[in-house]
Amino acid sequence: MIFRRLRIFLTEIAFEAMRWNVTENKKNSQRLNTRSVHAGFSGDPGTGALNPPVFLTSTYAQESPGVHTGFVYARTRNPTRDALEAAMAELEGGTDGIAYGSGSAATASIIQLLDAGDHVVSFDDVYGGTRRVFEKVFARQGLSFSFTDLTVPGAFEAACRPESRLLWIESPTNPMLKMADIADLSRRAHARNMWVVVDNTFLSPYLQNPLALGADLVVHSTTKYLNGHSDTVGGAVVTSVPELAESLRFLQNSVGSIPGPMDCYLCHRGIKTLAVRMERHCSNALEIARFLETHPRIQRTRYPFLKSHPQHQLALTQTRGGGGIVTFEMNGNLENARRFLESVRIFALAESLGGVESLIEHPAIMTHASVPQKVREELGLSDTLVRLSVGIEDVEDLKEDLAQALEAAY
Ligand code: P1T
């Protein structure tokens, strides 16, 4: 009996030591590359293992009813998930990270913080699935949503109502890469007692930290750059507001939209190379954007670090890089776009983004098919709009691939 209690006590100390190390790392304010490698786990105190163990368990034995190690049931807590959540919090500069089974589950969880009757102001050009869950799921439950172009001065105020509680920003947006001034909008939303959420999926914490700019919640589809290898689906929310963290933890446990331990491990492993991957994504994407911008078959190329981007100056001050996504409109019609997308050899024609391999997709038919056609037209999601997720391959190979597919498309 005494040994078992001692074991429980030692386990608690070990996990506290792990957390303490994480806090110390944060205090040291290490630089981004170092933080990506070490965030969330500083070695297993028992064995010295460098990587977090994968705890494949649904439950934990208790010494006596209510006497336990702090781990009771795996929906509520799992040490492998704890490590990923600590990493996310550290990278985004928040106090609390909460992990989910998908980015969509993370999005839904934030909306579940609201009450029937509340109103959300959202950027108009968000991921198709985000608009879908707002309009097709939560609107049925008494919440209302307004979609507005946050790049237009005064558009935010015009969309607000007395019952507005939340501002939803995606920056850059999916797929048009519009950018919102997070610091300015956060000030204006806070003046109206609204919470500010930023979906930071497209840039990752390596390139943009919304909490430092004034946002209250940052949300990620970790499926993308954080994992980086296209082998898990996951999501995360980070905040420094205790009240929001507590409510999100309660929801995570009550609704149960958690990731499994193996997926947490894989995502955390991916994060270790986030910094080097993002550097290559950015340099490859910028070069491809410049190549497309001068290509005779391309009408318009969008990339935040091109001088022609409407919010280029904002991109330079708000972010540390343009990211890996490039969107462009081709000349011609849907048939040309189809032939182009069928002709690529290195780029894979697939939904998703942020993995090491380059992907290409047609937003109107694929990722944003759930957006009503009228709205797609208003946003510019035309039949000839193409989105690239530029991977980390040799950029010359990627340019050659796009060039030959453009040749084949007409
Ligand atoms: O796919 P999931 O992990 O559930 O994440 C949803 C999501 C949330 N936010 C943004 C900005 C996203 O781009 C996504 C998912 N997007 C795609 C699958 C896509 O191809 O655009």
Side-chain angles (χ1 to χ4, degrees), residues 102-104 127 170 174 199 201 221 223-224 234 352-353 367 387:
S102 69
S104 304
Y127 168 56
E170 208 177 270
N174 181 358
D199 185 332
T201 299
S221 167
T223 316
K224 316 289 163 32
S352 201
L353 56 109
T367 49
R387 188 189 78 187

Side-chain angles (χ1 to χ4, degrees), residues 13-67:
I13 299 255
F15 277 103
E16 279 318 309
M18 211 170 90
R19 285 221 195 88
W20 184 81
N21 273 337
V22 168
T23 322
E24 278 306 294
N25 280 347
K26 220 183 317 182
K27 273 197 224 138
N28 291 343
S29 58
Q30 290 163 342
R31 291 164 186 83
L32 278 168
N33 287 270
T34 312
R35 292 218 316 263
S36 304
V37 176
H38 296 284
F41 192 75
S42 353
D44 176 45
T47 62
L50 289 182
N51 292 309
V54 181
F55 282 83
L56 293 169
T57 188
S58 58
T59 193
Y60 310 87
Q62 302 193 16
E63 178 66 22
S64 175
V67 180

Side-chain angles (χ1 to χ4, degrees), residues 21 123 187 222 259 340:
N21 273 337
F123 213 155
R187 273 190 297 273
T222 58
F340 170 62

